[in-house]
Amino acid sequence: MIQRFYFDTSVFGGVYDIEFDEISIQLFEKVRLGQVICVYSDLSEGELFSAPKRVRDFFKNLPKEYLEVVKVSEEAINLAAKRALTTVCTLLWPQYTKLTFL
């Protein structure tokens, strides 16, 4: 079974970032060889439209048979918002590190 990895928007630009280019290129080579399925969200897909041209072109040239887009659900957005709120509150008020937002 082929492994499926989730790729955030920033991962696509990593091939042009000196700090991450080596590992990013290796990862995308695995996608090109069909060893890894590149899973990304429709949100990332939208963000890629405003990325630099070379990043957009890189994304467009990935083999479609090894790409999988997933839709961001309302539940996922709410979970991310709760996580962000918890992180911010923990940073501002470390004494409340056990805070849970429902």
Side-chain angles (χ1 to χ4, degrees), residues 52-64:
K53 183 177 180 343
R54 64 184 183 174
V55 175
R56 291 192 316 266
D57 290 344
F58 180 82
F59 175 72
K60 287 178 190 174
N61 289 319
L62 291 170
K64 306 300 180 240

Side-chain angles (χ1 to χ4, degrees), residues 10-69:
S10 62
V11 176
F12 296 99
V15 296
Y16 300 106
D17 185 329
I18 292 172
E19 186 176 354
F20 303 106
D21 63 349
E22 187 176 325
I23 191 72
S24 296
I25 290 167
Q26 290 174 12
L27 181 58
F28 281 109
E29 185 60 23
K30 290 184 178 294
V31 172
R32 288 186 198 287
L33 294 172
Q35 297 171 348
V36 169
I37 300 293
C38 171
V39 180
Y40 61 96
S41 72
D42 55 347
L43 178 63
S44 290
E45 188 173 45
E47 290 173 344
L48 284 166
F49 286 123
S50 61
K53 183 177 180 343
R54 64 184 183 174
V55 175
R56 291 192 316 266
D57 290 344
F58 180 82
F59 175 72
K60 287 178 190 174
N61 289 319
L62 291 170
K64 306 300 180 240
E65 63 270 22
Y66 302 122
L67 299 178
E68 180 182 334
V69 65

Side-chain angles (χ1 to χ4, degrees), residues 64-81:
K64 306 300 180 240
E65 63 270 22
Y66 302 122
L67 299 178
E68 180 182 334
V69 65
V70 293
K71 294 197 181 287
V72 175
S73 66
E74 185 176 340
E75 179 183 12
I77 292 169
N78 290 337
L79 182 61

